[in-house]
Amino acid sequence: MQENKLKTITNLFEGREIRSIWNSEIEDYYFSVVDVIGVLTDSPRPRKYWNDLKIKILEEGSQLSENIGQLKLKSSDGKYYNTDVLDTEGIFRLIESVPSKNAEPFKLWLAKLGRQEVDNIFDPSKGIDKMIDYYLRKGYPLEWIEARIKAIINRKKLTNTWKENGIEENKEYAILTNEIYKTWSGMNAKEYKEYKGIRKESLRDNMTDIEIALTDLGELATRELAKKHKPQGLDENKNIAKRGGLIAKNTRNNLEQELEKNVVDNSNNLDIKYLN
């Protein structure tokens, strides 16, 4: 493992610790509201500050109030207490509602993101340019980026084929994708991410060249089989997805026999290391 992968995510907001819990089911974090309030306001009594603000939010009928939950988080005394939490979107909305100079950099950042989204609507190529620049900064070569863009297009062709065959909802796309992954790799997408030690990051961005090739083959085979047999509904499409994944699995088995090693790798391209 590269040295920079030994970095850990333990602190946010310029070294101030924010307690958080990762929910692998929805692939999102829940953050301690009191901790975020403490950083944004520098209040000596962040819990009272939050209680007062929460009352105001509830009285105003803000949608944010509907997203406030409670989880047991570890306190400074080593014990676990029920603590108000918000997911990532909720925390951003909370930041926007806090009148504090410490919150201004985040508000400016959110405003910049909003402006970029508007720019992308008028000129979608700006979004593509931004994606290319991001991958270049992460150290990916142009050849890899070109292949990644082609993979996105091929993925769109697959989902369009599924749509023609009666698949409408995103959760059904996920079920079919998992069928392909599970068949050739032995893991669904969630399990594959956990195996590689990643969370919200793209699974494909953290695959080896061989893993990407097998994924592409499984999805391409599924698409061509679906075009030929025209399955309708989820169950029939699941059968086709499994057959497509099986083609990639047979290729994997043949390659592993020749290489005499497992080609499914638990490495990733992160420059950080997650701690539970």
Side-chain angles (χ1 to χ4, degrees):
M1 182 180 291
Q2 298 176 359
E3 184 177 353
N4 60 2
K5 289 185 180 178
L6 298 178
K7 296 179 181 178
T8 60
I9 297 182
T10 55
N11 295 291
L12 297 173
F13 298 92
E14 298 182 352
R16 299 281 293 275
E17 185 173 358
I18 307 294
R19 289 172 295 168
S20 63
I21 289 181
W22 170 251
N23 186 323
S24 60
E25 293 297 325
I26 63 173
E27 295 192 348
D28 202 358
Y29 289 94
Y30 287 107
F31 296 93
S32 165
V33 178
V34 172
D35 292 352
V36 174
I37 289 294
V39 172
L40 293 178
T41 65
D42 287 328
S43 170
R45 301 175 65 188
R47 193 172 302 278
K48 184 180 185 308
Y49 189 104
W50 166 235
N51 286 337
D52 293 341
L53 179 59
K54 183 163 65 170
I55 291 173
K56 180 181 178 182
I57 290 173
L58 293 173
E59 289 176 346
E60 292 176 349
S62 169
Q63 189 177 0
L64 178 63
S65 63
E66 300 175 6
N67 299 327
I68 300 171
Q70 279 204 333
L71 292 173
K72 285 187 177 294
L73 297 181
K74 190 175 183 179
S75 186
S76 57
D77 62 5
K79 297 180 181 180
Y80 288 81
Y81 300 97
N82 283 330
T83 306
D84 285 347
V85 295
L86 284 168
D87 61 13
T88 304
E89 181 180 349
I91 285 296
F92 283 141
R93 296 189 66 179
L94 174 68
I95 290 172
E96 291 178 314
S97 67
V98 175
S100 165
K101 60 180 179 61
N102 292 352
E104 285 306 309
F106 296 98
K107 294 179 181 179
L108 291 173
W109 177 66
L110 290 171
K112 183 178 180 181
L113 288 181
R115 187 196 67 193
Q116 290 174 348
E117 186 64 25
V118 172
D119 290 343
N120 291 341
I121 292 174
F122 286 101
D123 185 358
S125 66
K126 289 184 177 181
I128 298 174
D129 288 340
K130 184 179 178 182
M131 180 184 74
I132 293 173
D133 289 340
Y134 169 80
Y135 281 129
L136 287 174
R137 289 195 303 271
K138 296 285 287 184
Y140 292 97
L142 279 172
E143 294 78 11
W144 185 96
I145 299 172
E146 182 179 6
R148 184 70 177 95
I149 294 174
K150 289 180 179 178
I152 293 172
I153 295 173
N154 287 332
R155 170 70 183 181
K156 187 63 177 177
K157 290 179 180 178
L158 174 60
T159 55
N160 283 344
T161 300
W162 281 338
K163 188 172 183 179
E164 292 170 1
N165 294 340
I167 303 300
E168 294 288 344
E169 299 182 18
N170 287 334
K171 66 179 182 180
E172 292 184 330
Y173 292 151
I175 290 172
L176 296 177
T177 301
N178 277 331
E179 200 69 38
I180 299 171
Y181 275 127
K182 188 76 174 180
T183 303
W184 79 258
S185 73
M187 297 174 283
N188 60 34
K190 175 190 169 186
E191 294 166 339
Y192 210 155
K193 281 188 169 187
E194 291 175 348
Y195 177 66
K196 283 185 168 289
I198 59 177
R199 293 184 175 176
K200 292 181 74 69
E201 297 82 8
S202 164
L203 178 55
R204 190 183 290 263
D205 287 358
N206 289 278
M207 286 181 169
T208 64
D209 290 342
I210 292 177
E211 290 173 306
I212 290 174
L214 292 171
T215 301
D216 288 344
L217 178 58
E219 293 191 347
L220 177 60
T222 299
R223 188 182 81 207
E224 293 304 308
L225 288 170
K227 287 166 63 177
K228 177 181 179 180
H229 297 286
K230 295 180 170 44
Q232 293 298 309
L234 182 59
D235 289 340
E236 290 185 12
N237 276 283
K238 281 178 66 176
N239 180 56
I240 292 296
K242 187 172 183 178
R243 289 168 62 181
L246 186 59
I247 292 172
K249 177 178 172 57
N250 291 336
T251 302
R252 173 192 173 184
N253 291 342
N254 292 335
L255 183 57
E256 288 182 340
Q257 185 175 359
E258 292 293 330
L259 296 177
E260 298 181 348
K261 69 174 185 178
N262 182 13
V263 298
V264 177
D265 199 319
N266 66 352
S267 63
N268 59 52
N269 294 319
L270 301 183
D271 56 2
I272 56 176
K273 181 181 178 182
Y274 288 112
L275 295 180
N276 291 325

